[in-house]
Amino acid sequence: MDVNFRKIDIDQYDEDVLLESELYEPDPRDPAQVVSDAKQKATAVRSSLAKGDIVGALTLALTDAPYGPNVDEAKNLNLQTLVSILNSTKSSEIPGVVKSLPPDSQDTLMKYLYKGMALPGWGDLSGSVLLVWHEKLTEAAGTGCIVRAMTDRRLV
Amino acid sequence: MAPPEIYPLAQTQAAITSHSFNADRSEVAVSLNSNDVQIFAREGHEWKPTETLSEHDKLITSIDWAPNSNRIVTAAQDRNAYVWQQSPDPQTGRMIWKPTLVLLRINRAATHVRWSPNEDKFAVASGARAIAICSFDPEGDWWVSRLLKKPIRSTVHSVDWHPNNVLLAAGSADMKARVFSAYIKDVDKRPAASVWGEKLPFNTVCGEYTSPTGGWVHAVGFSPSGDALAFASHDSSISIVYPGGPAIYTIKLTSLPLLTLTWTNENSLIAAGHDCQPLVFSGSDGGWELTGSLDDPNSAKSAGGSRAGLASPVGRLNSAAFNTFRNADTRGIGSAPGGSGESELFTVHQNTITSVRPYAGTPGAVTRVSTSGLDGKLVVWDVNQVTPVGATGLAGRMAGLRV
């Protein structure tokens, strides 16, 4: 059967098409502001990590995470910050850490885990580390957390 | 404390897309995932098929049986709605169901239909970014439809009427739950002012609420008084809105998304969906929480063992399909044809619950609810028989989860 018709962009024939930008509230911050926030957070996270405060570092990195268009630099920066936290956590500490995160941060962490899995070989990302975090996070926050990471259009 | 009554209506494991009981619960209209409505009549503890209503030529999506006027309205993917009324057959004198076509004027499938509390109007949700409000025009002897369009941006999944017969809640795939005025001059008296507003011409938007993390809205429901609105969305969350406050309480679930909900009283509601069990939420304008499930996963063992003997109570992720893939992945074992014996879940419903409706009691004091789902079962539950969340509840189910 000829299935090429499925590749036709039918939305271009619809004057009342639903746009991606209408599906979520845009980040109220200016892109430049988002980048400088991310840089500040990276520094703060490093000092938290030096003190061994994993939960504090994670909460910092996951609060006001950059999303939406035009903030790719900040997104990469925040992902790098987050990966450094994930990599420096002992696997025995992970269950305690994910349980003590507030639900919103758990959802954001899940988004970053899936983003990390979609970028094999990016920076010092390791698949096995991501999978351990994913397993522990799912035990703490349930499948609902995965569903939320998949439905949310505010991509990190 | 009666156990849930379980009726496997669909013999061939067909899904029940929609169900609606008549006023005295002696008959039920269901659609078994087809173009026909089946009416079953109660005979003791069984339901016997009595009549088939065939007129739609695409899948029926929703059925609603008006308790007082004894009329059935059906909506389907063929973009039509029919109102069915019983009248005597001219030859045999037997009562038969006569369809009346309703011109909805929509160009996509109708997805959901509900009679208004006074049964003089009904609302049809659709994929055409519109809700058709239909009322009977005695002069033309037909049902006329007026469309609620703005500001709907995507398919409307569900509708629910306010007890004042004028306001309508709608949940749609543009991630929003809305409250509209469906005031029709010839039918309605001027409604009294409520928490939702005072002046209510047709298509007034009285409230618009976005789902917490971008899930499309599956189900909406007004509380019995109409002063609160609950909506469940695909981000596994349920939100309860008090417009007077204004306060919005959101509960993020650890389980899969909810598809349907119904209020049992002003402080309690029951919602169900992909997790295959009806969950009970309770609260007030001070806050809401998940209190438990109507489905007790441990009761099955004492009740005959039909659901016992499972490896681990982990819910749907450990279903047969999951095991098949895992075996193929880790051990190189292919799937055995026909080997679906281990697909049984710990819950009463064996697949997604798509509809929960009040069964017994009065609005505001519902004592029993009925559910139907993709497993072809119709189940009647006692709303007071709640298994608390805890060791045997959701947390317990999730504890054994390994992804």
Side-chain angles (χ1 to χ4, degrees):
Chain A
M1 199 176 82
D2 184 18
V3 291
N4 274 337
F5 70 91
R6 292 191 186 280
K7 293 184 180 149
I8 301 171
D9 176 16
I10 55 164
D11 280 345
Q12 64 176 314
Y13 301 106
D14 189 349
E15 71 273 12
D16 192 26
V17 65
L18 184 65
L19 300 170
E20 175 82 20
S21 57
E22 294 175 68
L23 294 175
Y24 57 87
E25 295 287 317
D27 196 332
R29 294 174 292 177
D30 181 65
Q33 175 75 30
V34 176
V35 174
S36 74
D37 281 1
K39 282 183 181 147
Q40 277 178 18
K41 263 196 278 180
T43 322
V45 164
R46 265 196 295 278
S47 69
S48 288
L49 278 184
K51 284 183 275 178
D53 180 10
I54 306 273
V55 177
L58 256 186
T59 313
L60 261 175
L62 295 172
T63 318
D64 294 330
Y67 66 85
N70 309 325
V71 287
D72 287 345
E73 191 191 343
K75 283 183 184 177
N76 281 334
L77 199 61
N78 212 42
L79 178 61
Q80 185 56 56
T81 309
L82 201 87
V83 168
S84 67
I85 305 172
L86 300 185
N87 285 341
S88 57
T89 308
K90 288 197 207 78
S91 58
S92 57
E93 290 176 14
I94 297 176
V97 170
V98 291
K99 274 200 191 77
S100 59
L101 287 176
D104 283 343
S105 298
Q106 288 177 336
D107 292 353
T108 314
L109 177 58
M110 188 61 91
K111 285 195 230 172
Y112 274 106
L113 294 181
Y114 276 100
K115 180 180 174 127
M117 289 185 214
L119 298 167
W122 188 88
D124 49 356
L125 241 163
S126 141
S128 60
V129 170
L130 291 179
L131 282 172
V132 172
W133 276 88
H134 184 267
E135 181 185 345
K136 302 300 174 199
L137 182 56
T138 310
E139 276 173 26
T143 42
C145 182
I146 301 177
V147 174
R148 279 189 285 278
M150 289 197 284
T151 52
D152 203 339
R153 302 294 182 116
R154 290 172 295 181
L155 299 176
V156 291
Chain B
M1 297 287 271
E5 298 169 22
I6 305 164
Y7 306 109
L9 286 188
Q11 302 303 325
T12 52
Q13 292 215 317
I16 297 181
T17 43
S18 182
H19 81 275
S20 186
F21 284 94
N22 68 347
D24 63 2
R25 309 302 190 226
S26 62
E27 289 179 286
V28 62
V30 300
S31 175
L32 301 176
N33 207 20
S34 74
N35 306 348
D36 298 329
V37 176
Q38 283 275 342
I39 294 183
F40 289 81
R42 185 193 276 277
E43 280 182 23
H45 280 285
E46 297 204 11
W47 291 91
K48 293 273 190 274
T50 52
E51 269 177 279
T52 303
L53 313 185
S54 306
E55 201 65 40
H56 285 288
D57 54 19
K58 287 272 191 311
L59 191 77
I60 289 171
T61 50
S62 189
I63 305 172
D64 199 26
W65 197 326
N68 299 318
S69 55
N70 200 33
R71 288 183 299 212
I72 299 173
V73 62
T74 56
Q77 291 177 356
D78 59 9
R79 300 165 290 149
N80 288 328
Y82 286 95
V83 175
W84 303 79
Q85 249 178 312
Q86 259 185 330
S87 59
D89 186 84
Q91 267 127 42
T92 60
R94 216 168 58 90
M95 293 298 270
I96 51 166
W97 289 98
K98 280 270 172 59
T100 312
L101 176 66
V102 183
L103 286 174
L104 294 175
R105 301 189 291 128
I106 53 174
N107 58 4
R108 297 283 190 281
T111 52
H112 199 241
V113 63
R114 284 292 176 266
W115 284 104
S116 70
N118 294 353
E119 300 176 12
D120 48 7
K121 298 189 286 188
F122 58 87
V124 186
S126 79
R129 302 171 177 176
I131 305 163
I133 307 296
C134 305
S135 59
F136 193 71
D137 169 22
E139 280 179 31
D141 191 24
W142 62 357
W143 290 88
V144 285
S145 121
R146 289 180 184 81
L147 296 182
L148 289 172
K149 275 189 165 164
K150 283 187 176 148
I152 303 168
R153 301 291 286 137
S154 189
T155 300
V156 182
H157 282 134
S158 62
V159 290
D160 191 52
W161 286 94
H162 189 279
N164 73 2
N165 209 51
V166 168
L167 293 172
L168 183 79
S172 81
D174 54 9
M175 328 296 184
K176 292 206 168 54
R178 298 186 179 87
V179 175
F180 291 100
S181 165
Y183 175 77
I184 290 176
K185 210 170 66 187
D186 304 335
V187 178
D188 292 306
K189 288 199 276 292
R190 256 188 73 115
S194 70
V195 289
W196 301 99
E198 288 173 24
K199 280 197 168 169
L200 301 168
F202 188 73
N203 209 158
T204 309
V205 179
C206 307
E208 189 173 64
Y209 308 97
T210 309
S211 70
T213 50
W216 47 103
V217 180
H218 283 295
V220 286
F222 278 111
S223 71
S225 70
D227 291 346
L229 175 77
F231 65 94
S233 49
H234 199 80
D235 47 8
S236 275
S237 69
I238 183 163
S239 304
I240 294 97
V241 180
Y242 288 90
I248 301 179
Y249 300 105
T250 295
I251 302 165
K252 290 185 172 183
L253 299 173
T254 55
S255 52
L256 297 176
L258 302 167
L259 293 180
T260 174
L261 66 89
T262 190
W263 291 71
T264 49
N265 57 53
E266 200 58 35
N267 299 105
S268 173
L269 65 88
I270 290 173
H274 289 294
D275 210 42
C276 312
Q277 54 178 335
L279 301 178
V280 183
F281 297 87
S282 61
S284 62
D285 53 7
W288 276 76
E289 59 172 358
L290 171 66
T291 46
S293 168
L294 293 183
D295 197 335
D296 181 0
N298 295 323
S299 70
K301 286 168 188 152
S302 53
S306 65
R307 290 187 283 133
L310 288 157
S312 60
V314 292
R316 299 204 55 196
L317 260 185
N318 206 20
S319 64
F322 178 76
N323 283 330
T324 308
F325 282 118
R326 191 178 57 187
N327 289 341
D329 183 40
T330 59
R331 290 171 222 160
I333 302 169
S335 59
S340 61
E342 286 176 23
S343 65
E344 211 163 13
L345 302 180
F346 247 46
T347 47
V348 170
H349 274 289
Q350 293 297 305
N351 207 332
T352 300
I353 299 173
T354 53
S355 179
V356 54
R357 312 195 69 168
Y359 179 80
T362 53
V366 174
T367 55
R368 300 166 87 193
V369 294
S370 58
T371 58
S372 66
L374 302 185
D375 58 351
K377 280 185 184 141
L378 181 70
V379 182
V380 177
W381 310 81
D382 184 341
V383 300
N384 295 314
Q385 204 168 351
V386 182
T387 308
V389 185
T392 58
L394 289 172
R397 280 160 197 252
M398 300 320 298
L401 190 74
R402 293 284 182 277
V403 180

